[in-house]
Amino acid sequence: MNKSATYQVVFMDVLAPAVQRVIASVFGPPFETRFALNYDARHQTELCRAADFLVPGWAQLTGEMLEAAERVQAVHKWGIGVDRIDVQAARRLGIPVAITAGSNAGPVAELAITLMLAVYRRIYYVNREMRAGKWPKSEMRETCFQIHGKTIGLVGFGNIGRKLARRLAGFEPGAILYCDRYAAPAEVEHALGARRVELPELLSRSDIVSLHAPYDESTRHLIDASAIRRMKKGAVLINTARGELVDEAALASALKRGHLMGAGLDAFDPEPPDPGNPLLALDQVIVTPHAGGGVFDNVAPVAAHVLRNLQRFVAGESIAAQDLIVSENRRTP
């Protein structure tokens, strides 16, 4: 590590001033922070050219941007999903890519539960009705439900899925099922009260299906018309992962037909969704703007996670395997 060097750390997302201040307060010499003003491709590319380290969150990082980023030594995702980063270009250019594994798991798990409750208790509809001077108490009793006793199916059982299972325990669900390409250790399953099954069984048995899988070509439209037909009549779909996991047209059709009770969606394809997206017109759909990890009291911990990895990088130390997407085949600036 060159003790006299300074490093420009560019945060590619447009962040609120209060969030910028928290991040800047976590970082210090030899790191200097800079924040994007907008998502215009030309502006983002200029930021890339000036950066030693890039920190994209929702911002897209293309191969062309990486080609222009001749000083960049590493890319560090704010969060975990790398589907908006051209990982193949980074690998070709010798640019390491890291993530903040587990850093957003708690907030995302809490939002998933929030969406479950909001759908089950029809919060959007009832709130609107009351503000219009109505009193839908009797209607709520015949159309609302509780999580207690229900079977919850988790599609993906990494950090977020496991945090969610732990938080759900207090609601005393009837069962927690999960599907994942890798089985969790037996002691983890026992501690969380979760059992691994294949996706068709999970879909057919679950009252609530919550998505926590990464997006790649193998998971595109994982929840399509065929998958939805397998789901129980009156089931609820929650998506706090990636919009591409769900065939939105098939979901809208199932909701209109009454096959599904409702959906809680924090992710869309594309983002932001088209104003004419039929899902936005349905009372039984609760929507949030892909903000599962977007809580103010988690900004400093995530920033500290990024900082620790960048400190390791400039010191020539290894980054934890769970955080490393593209190996440290270091590029010489």
Side-chain angles (χ1 to χ4, degrees):
M1 176 177 172
N2 184 347
K3 294 183 178 180
S4 64
T6 59
Y7 302 94
Q8 292 286 322
V9 182
V10 170
F11 292 80
M12 299 180 68
D13 282 36
V14 179
L15 303 171
V19 173
Q20 292 185 24
R21 288 193 293 271
V22 170
I23 293 172
S25 73
V26 171
F27 281 76
F31 300 102
E32 297 178 354
T33 56
R34 185 176 176 187
F35 300 94
L37 300 176
N38 56 60
Y39 292 107
D40 178 77
R42 182 176 299 178
H43 173 62
Q44 293 274 314
T45 301
E46 288 303 313
L47 290 175
C48 291
R49 287 195 177 98
D52 296 295
F53 296 100
L54 289 169
V55 185
W58 182 80
Q60 189 155 19
L61 182 54
T62 66
E64 291 78 7
M65 291 176 180
L66 287 169
E67 290 277 4
E70 295 181 356
R71 287 175 47 182
V72 165
Q73 299 180 45
V75 173
H76 202 303
K77 172 67 193 285
W78 183 282
I80 57 172
V82 294
D83 47 285
R84 294 180 67 82
I85 299 171
D86 191 334
V87 172
Q88 293 306 317
R91 185 173 285 113
R92 174 172 51 81
L93 293 166
I95 303 174
V97 178
I99 62 174
T100 53
S103 62
N104 283 335
V108 175
E110 289 189 8
L111 180 62
I113 292 174
T114 301
L115 294 172
M116 293 176 193
L117 291 170
V119 172
Y120 258 4
R121 302 305 289 263
R122 303 187 69 197
I123 296 299
Y124 169 75
Y125 168 77
V126 170
N127 179 70
R128 190 188 66 200
E129 292 294 282
M130 287 195 64
R131 291 175 184 273
K134 299 178 182 179
W135 187 250
K137 182 174 181 177
S138 178
E139 180 183 345
M140 285 188 71
R141 193 181 301 276
E142 67 174 347
T143 58
C144 294
F145 299 87
Q146 60 182 334
I147 293 175
H148 172 76
K150 302 302 187 294
T151 296
I152 314 296
L154 308 179
V155 180
F157 204 57
N159 287 310
I160 296 171
R162 296 180 193 191
K163 288 275 190 182
L164 177 54
R166 187 176 301 280
R167 284 157 168 74
L168 282 169
F171 292 88
E172 300 179 330
I176 296 178
L177 308 176
Y178 78 91
C179 66
D180 196 292
R181 66 185 67 180
Y182 304 109
E187 60 271 20
V188 172
E189 291 188 346
H190 178 74
L192 299 178
R195 185 168 72 85
R196 186 179 183 227
V197 297
E198 295 301 318
L199 181 61
E201 181 179 351
L202 183 146
L203 294 173
S204 66
R205 291 187 54 196
S206 298
D207 298 293
I208 300 174
V209 174
S210 191
L211 304 182
H212 305 286
Y215 167 63
D216 57 35
E217 284 307 310
S218 71
T219 58
R220 179 171 180 79
H221 288 186
L222 183 68
I223 305 300
D224 58 8
S226 175
I228 291 170
R229 282 195 295 271
R230 290 181 180 272
M231 293 174 67
K232 294 170 68 172
K233 181 175 174 58
V236 169
L237 179 69
I238 304 296
N239 185 10
T240 56
R242 288 293 186 269
E244 291 88 349
L245 300 182
V246 177
D247 181 337
E248 293 182 347
L251 175 59
S253 175
L255 289 163
K256 291 175 182 177
R257 295 194 318 270
H259 178 64
L260 299 183
M261 175 187 173
L265 306 176
D266 186 49
F268 297 87
D269 179 24
E271 289 183 346
D274 188 290
N277 186 323
L279 291 168
L280 300 180
L282 299 176
D283 283 345
Q284 66 270 48
V285 177
I286 305 294
V287 296
T288 51
H290 207 151
V295 294
F296 189 63
D297 51 357
N298 199 43
V299 173
V302 178
H305 190 148
V306 174
L307 175 61
R308 286 193 299 272
N309 279 345
L310 296 190
Q311 287 171 329
R312 290 189 183 105
F313 187 88
V314 299
E317 300 171 358
S318 295
I319 293 173
Q322 66 176 0
D323 280 356
L324 204 56
I325 300 298
V326 175
S327 63
E328 298 174 72
N329 178 22
R330 299 178 180 229
R331 165 171 149 180
T332 303

